[in-house]
Amino acid sequence: MLPYSERRLRLADAMRAQGGGVAIAFTAPERPRNRDSEYPYRWDSYFYYLTGFPEPEAALVVIAEAGRTESILFCREKNPERETWDGFRYGPEAASERFGFERSLPFGSLDEELPRLLADRPALWYALGADDALDARLQRWLGSVRAQARTGVTAPARAFDLYAVLDEMRLFKDTHELATMRRAAQISAAAHVRAMRVTRAGCREYEIEAELLHEFRRNGSQFPAYGSIVAGGANACVLHYRGNDARLADGDLLLIDAGCELDGYASDITRTFPVNGRFGAAQRTLYELVLEAQRAAVDATQPGARFAAPHDAAVRVLAQGMIDCGLLQGTLDGVIESGAYRRFYMHRTSHWMGMDVHDCGEYREPGEPAAGEAGRPWRILHPGMVLTIEPGIYVRAADDVPQAFHDIGIRIEDDALVTDTGCEILTLDAPKRPEDIEALMRG
């Protein structure tokens, strides 16, 4: 069975647990870039998770009744003239066969078919509020059903957030997803290795970015998973740096946060290394501190641990290191309790990974807080979850900061799969020990 068919059955089971009904999901529209030109098309992640269908102008309807599930795809019809200009279209007949739908219908028939499919269904699953235009269209369909009330036809009386159900499903990766994510991680790691090999003083940041993109694409990746950050020197202290146009200086560090997307799944790697291939003394001090913090976070990434455990472990190492090297004053507990460490480490250590680089899924335990709890506790980690582990340190120049550490920004990021016994680092092929980086760059 295709993984998409199995996911639709799981969705239907979740719907039946609430009494059944109908779910509707749309893919993303094409977006104009400028006159007569569109951005490269990328489907909606939720829609693709359930269908594997790559074309625009498509919608999925899942009907869940007692003992029965039906999946209906609405897609573009075959059109030889448009295919001459824009390329192949599956069309409804081929789409049903290829992707395992019970039925496929023309996208243009939505307004006619949806009122029929909504009639006499007890509940609706839909991403309410996600798109005003689609919400308005849904209201018209529901209005058409309600207009038939005198004939005994009823409209759905309850509505559920479709994304809430799919978020929980997507949080746990299946074997198909993990195989794709492992390959995406390998491609991205190879790109970081390539970047280390070609970096030289005098290069522009965008030249290194071009090397990353080349490695992504030549290995089959369709897109970068996000805008690549290629930040030399002080630029590395800007967390979401986007310029990528400065000249790299001898003696500076280069921070690269870049990952490819492969078949709809993201990877996310950050490596920091010296432009000239040799860490300076102050650079190495802070780099080894961040690496030690990442090791502590990896050790804390265990099934049964809370989502916050890797962050808490990293913070304790980083905060103590900041005290030891003179960036902060005080005791470890005092620095953590006051949040003083956030001056140099202001982001969290992890986020979920999957179809989106910052993937969906609750970070707190679902449901209401238990009696006596002030709020919902952090999520418990389970096998099949994938998260990043990415501590860092960012030291802007300031009068109260030792000059040797001025304008040093370091982040080390890997993708971790929670397993039965700990975690599997998917991105290990990108070196991160300082001696390994220096050896690679010398070669």
mmCIF file of all heavy atoms in Angstrom, residues 290-291 293-295 297 314 318 345 347-349 389-394 410-413:
data_model
loop_
_atom_site.group_PDB
_atom_site.id
_atom_site.type_symbol
_atom_site.label_atom_id
_atom_site.label_comp_id
_atom_site.label_asym_id
_atom_site.label_seq_id
_atom_site.Cartn_x
_atom_site.Cartn_y
_atom_site.Cartn_z
ATOM 1 N N VAL A 290 30.627 25.264 22.435
ATOM 2 C CA VAL A 290 29.369 24.944 21.751
ATOM 3 C C VAL A 290 29.303 23.456 21.423
ATOM 4 O O VAL A 290 28.249 22.822 21.563
ATOM 5 C CB VAL A 290 29.213 25.799 20.481
ATOM 6 C CG1 VAL A 290 27.962 25.396 19.694
ATOM 7 C CG2 VAL A 290 29.146 27.282 20.833
ATOM 8 N N LEU A 291 30.427 22.880 21.013
ATOM 9 C CA LEU A 291 30.438 21.450 20.695
ATOM 10 C C LEU A 291 30.155 20.613 21.945
ATOM 11 O O LEU A 291 29.404 19.628 21.890
ATOM 12 C CB LEU A 291 31.785 21.068 20.088
ATOM 13 C CG LEU A 291 31.905 19.642 19.543
ATOM 14 C CD1 LEU A 291 30.855 19.367 18.468
ATOM 15 C CD2 LEU A 291 33.310 19.402 18.984
ATOM 16 N N ALA A 293 28.396 21.623 24.471
ATOM 17 C CA ALA A 293 26.967 21.818 24.748
ATOM 18 C C ALA A 293 26.118 20.933 23.850
ATOM 19 O O ALA A 293 25.106 20.370 24.291
ATOM 20 C CB ALA A 293 26.590 23.289 24.553
ATOM 21 N N GLN A 294 26.521 20.786 22.580
ATOM 22 C CA GLN A 294 25.741 19.921 21.698
ATOM 23 C C GLN A 294 25.837 18.467 22.132
ATOM 24 O O GLN A 294 24.843 17.732 22.087
ATOM 25 C CB GLN A 294 26.189 20.076 20.240
ATOM 26 C CG GLN A 294 25.107 19.559 19.290
ATOM 27 C CD GLN A 294 25.649 19.135 17.935
ATOM 28 O OE1 GLN A 294 26.749 18.615 17.826
ATOM 29 N NE2 GLN A 294 24.850 19.347 16.900
ATOM 30 N N ARG A 295 27.018 18.039 22.547
ATOM 31 C CA ARG A 295 27.158 16.651 23.027
ATOM 32 C C ARG A 295 26.232 16.405 24.220
ATOM 33 O O ARG A 295 25.591 15.344 24.319
ATOM 34 C CB ARG A 295 28.605 16.372 23.411
ATOM 35 C CG ARG A 295 29.567 16.318 22.224
ATOM 36 C CD ARG A 295 30.954 15.909 22.695
ATOM 37 N NE ARG A 295 31.931 15.923 21.604
ATOM 38 C CZ ARG A 295 33.034 16.670 21.589
ATOM 39 N NH1 ARG A 295 33.315 17.460 22.619
ATOM 40 N NH2 ARG A 295 33.861 16.630 20.563
ATOM 41 N N ALA A 297 23.465 17.960 24.853
ATOM 42 C CA ALA A 297 22.085 17.954 24.351
ATOM 43 C C ALA A 297 21.761 16.634 23.657
ATOM 44 O O ALA A 297 20.654 16.097 23.800
ATOM 45 C CB ALA A 297 21.870 19.132 23.406
ATOM 46 N N ALA A 314 22.069 21.806 27.203
ATOM 47 C CA ALA A 314 22.960 22.712 26.474
ATOM 48 C C ALA A 314 23.169 24.019 27.246
ATOM 49 O O ALA A 314 24.290 24.546 27.314
ATOM 50 C CB ALA A 314 22.406 22.987 25.091
ATOM 51 N N LEU A 318 26.695 25.816 28.304
ATOM 52 C CA LEU A 318 27.016 27.129 27.746
ATOM 53 C C LEU A 318 27.162 28.178 28.837
ATOM 54 O O LEU A 318 28.099 28.999 28.818
ATOM 55 C CB LEU A 318 25.938 27.551 26.751
ATOM 56 C CG LEU A 318 25.902 26.789 25.431
ATOM 57 C CD1 LEU A 318 24.633 27.125 24.654
ATOM 58 C CD2 LEU A 318 27.125 27.111 24.582
ATOM 59 N N TYR A 345 23.212 33.595 24.000
ATOM 60 C CA TYR A 345 22.522 32.417 23.440
ATOM 61 C C TYR A 345 21.023 32.650 23.618
ATOM 62 O O TYR A 345 20.462 32.367 24.673
ATOM 63 C CB TYR A 345 22.965 31.125 24.136
ATOM 64 C CG TYR A 345 22.253 29.889 23.620
ATOM 65 C CD1 TYR A 345 22.151 29.657 22.247
ATOM 66 C CD2 TYR A 345 21.685 28.963 24.480
ATOM 67 C CE1 TYR A 345 21.499 28.529 21.761
ATOM 68 C CE2 TYR A 345 21.032 27.826 24.010
ATOM 69 C CZ TYR A 345 20.938 27.621 22.648
ATOM 70 O OH TYR A 345 20.285 26.514 22.155
ATOM 71 N N HIS A 347 18.319 31.692 21.473
ATOM 72 C CA HIS A 347 17.298 30.841 20.853
ATOM 73 C C HIS A 347 17.269 29.490 21.556
ATOM 74 O O HIS A 347 18.146 29.151 22.347
ATOM 75 C CB HIS A 347 17.551 30.663 19.353
ATOM 76 C CG HIS A 347 18.870 30.038 19.005
ATOM 77 N ND1 HIS A 347 19.097 28.673 19.053
ATOM 78 C CD2 HIS A 347 20.043 30.591 18.582
ATOM 79 C CE1 HIS A 347 20.344 28.413 18.663
ATOM 80 N NE2 HIS A 347 20.943 29.554 18.388
ATOM 81 N N ARG A 348 16.245 28.710 21.260
ATOM 82 C CA ARG A 348 16.146 27.387 21.853
ATOM 83 C C ARG A 348 17.011 26.396 21.064
ATOM 84 O O ARG A 348 17.446 26.683 19.947
ATOM 85 C CB ARG A 348 14.692 26.919 21.933
ATOM 86 C CG ARG A 348 13.851 27.770 22.883
ATOM 87 C CD ARG A 348 12.578 27.079 23.285
ATOM 88 N NE ARG A 348 12.819 25.862 24.059
ATOM 89 C CZ ARG A 348 13.011 25.834 25.377
ATOM 90 N NH1 ARG A 348 13.009 26.959 26.077
ATOM 91 N NH2 ARG A 348 13.205 24.687 25.998
ATOM 92 N N THR A 349 17.196 25.220 21.626
ATOM 93 C CA THR A 349 18.147 24.257 21.085
ATOM 94 C C THR A 349 17.526 23.343 20.034
ATOM 95 O O THR A 349 18.255 22.725 19.257
ATOM 96 C CB THR A 349 18.733 23.415 22.245
ATOM 97 O OG1 THR A 349 19.322 24.314 23.194
ATOM 98 C CG2 THR A 349 19.776 22.425 21.781
ATOM 99 N N ILE A 389 19.186 19.649 16.939
ATOM 100 C CA ILE A 389 19.951 19.945 18.152
ATOM 101 C C ILE A 389 20.976 20.998 17.733
ATOM 102 O O ILE A 389 21.930 20.686 17.023
ATOM 103 C CB ILE A 389 20.619 18.689 18.729
ATOM 104 C CG1 ILE A 389 19.560 17.615 19.032
ATOM 105 C CG2 ILE A 389 21.403 19.038 19.988
ATOM 106 C CD1 ILE A 389 20.124 16.315 19.546
ATOM 107 N N GLU A 390 20.788 22.249 18.171
ATOM 108 C CA GLU A 390 21.534 23.361 17.579
ATOM 109 C C GLU A 390 21.910 24.443 18.590
ATOM 110 O O GLU A 390 21.447 25.584 18.493
ATOM 111 C CB GLU A 390 20.737 23.983 16.428
ATOM 112 C CG GLU A 390 19.288 24.340 16.763
ATOM 113 C CD GLU A 390 18.588 25.025 15.603
ATOM 114 O OE1 GLU A 390 19.114 26.031 15.095
ATOM 115 O OE2 GLU A 390 17.515 24.550 15.211
ATOM 116 N N PRO A 391 22.765 24.131 19.549
ATOM 117 C CA PRO A 391 23.238 25.204 20.433
ATOM 118 C C PRO A 391 24.154 26.162 19.680
ATOM 119 O O PRO A 391 24.703 25.835 18.627
ATOM 120 C CB PRO A 391 23.997 24.438 21.516
ATOM 121 C CG PRO A 391 24.471 23.201 20.825
ATOM 122 C CD PRO A 391 23.380 22.840 19.851
ATOM 123 N N GLY A 392 24.337 27.338 20.253
ATOM 124 C CA GLY A 392 25.203 28.325 19.628
ATOM 125 C C GLY A 392 25.666 29.354 20.630
ATOM 126 O O GLY A 392 25.236 29.378 21.794
ATOM 127 N N ILE A 393 26.542 30.236 20.192
ATOM 128 C CA ILE A 393 26.977 31.377 20.988
ATOM 129 C C ILE A 393 27.260 32.525 20.027
ATOM 130 O O ILE A 393 27.841 32.308 18.950
ATOM 131 C CB ILE A 393 28.203 31.022 21.858
ATOM 132 C CG1 ILE A 393 28.436 32.100 22.913
ATOM 133 C CG2 ILE A 393 29.445 30.769 21.016
ATOM 134 C CD1 ILE A 393 29.399 31.662 24.008
ATOM 135 N N TYR A 394 26.826 33.721 20.390
ATOM 136 C CA TYR A 394 26.892 34.878 19.489
ATOM 137 C C TYR A 394 27.365 36.070 20.314
ATOM 138 O O TYR A 394 26.631 36.572 21.168
ATOM 139 C CB TYR A 394 25.526 35.148 18.868
ATOM 140 C CG TYR A 394 24.869 33.879 18.356
ATOM 141 C CD1 TYR A 394 24.023 33.132 19.179
ATOM 142 C CD2 TYR A 394 25.139 33.389 17.081
ATOM 143 C CE1 TYR A 394 23.451 31.947 18.743
ATOM 144 C CE2 TYR A 394 24.574 32.200 16.639
ATOM 145 C CZ TYR A 394 23.729 31.486 17.485
ATOM 146 O OH TYR A 394 23.167 30.312 17.062
ATOM 147 N N ILE A 410 28.891 31.330 16.520
ATOM 148 C CA ILE A 410 29.095 29.895 16.285
ATOM 149 C C ILE A 410 27.780 29.170 16.545
ATOM 150 O O ILE A 410 27.124 29.399 17.566
ATOM 151 C CB ILE A 410 30.182 29.318 17.221
ATOM 152 C CG1 ILE A 410 31.541 29.982 16.941
ATOM 153 C CG2 ILE A 410 30.290 27.795 17.059
ATOM 154 C CD1 ILE A 410 32.579 29.709 18.020
ATOM 155 N N ARG A 411 27.419 28.303 15.625
ATOM 156 C CA ARG A 411 26.288 27.391 15.841
ATOM 157 C C ARG A 411 26.667 26.044 15.241
ATOM 158 O O ARG A 411 27.301 25.979 14.179
ATOM 159 C CB ARG A 411 25.006 27.931 15.202
ATOM 160 C CG ARG A 411 23.783 27.074 15.474
ATOM 161 C CD ARG A 411 22.459 27.797 15.178
ATOM 162 N NE ARG A 411 22.288 28.220 13.807
ATOM 163 C CZ ARG A 411 22.375 29.501 13.398
ATOM 164 N NH1 ARG A 411 22.645 30.467 14.269
ATOM 165 N NH2 ARG A 411 22.193 29.812 12.122
ATOM 166 N N ILE A 412 26.296 24.980 15.926
ATOM 167 C CA ILE A 412 26.496 23.620 15.434
ATOM 168 C C ILE A 412 25.148 22.927 15.505
ATOM 169 O O ILE A 412 24.570 22.803 16.580
ATOM 170 C CB ILE A 412 27.542 22.855 16.274
ATOM 171 C CG1 ILE A 412 28.867 23.635 16.337
ATOM 172 C CG2 ILE A 412 27.774 21.461 15.696
ATOM 173 C CD1 ILE A 412 29.882 23.043 17.317
ATOM 174 N N GLU A 413 24.660 22.477 14.355
ATOM 175 C CA GLU A 413 23.288 21.946 14.283
ATOM 176 C C GLU A 413 23.267 20.620 13.536
ATOM 177 O O GLU A 413 23.838 20.496 12.461
ATOM 178 C CB GLU A 413 22.380 22.937 13.561
ATOM 179 C CG GLU A 413 20.953 22.465 13.394
ATOM 180 C CD GLU A 413 20.086 23.481 12.660
ATOM 181 O OE1 GLU A 413 20.658 24.357 11.964
ATOM 182 O OE2 GLU A 413 18.851 23.394 12.777
#
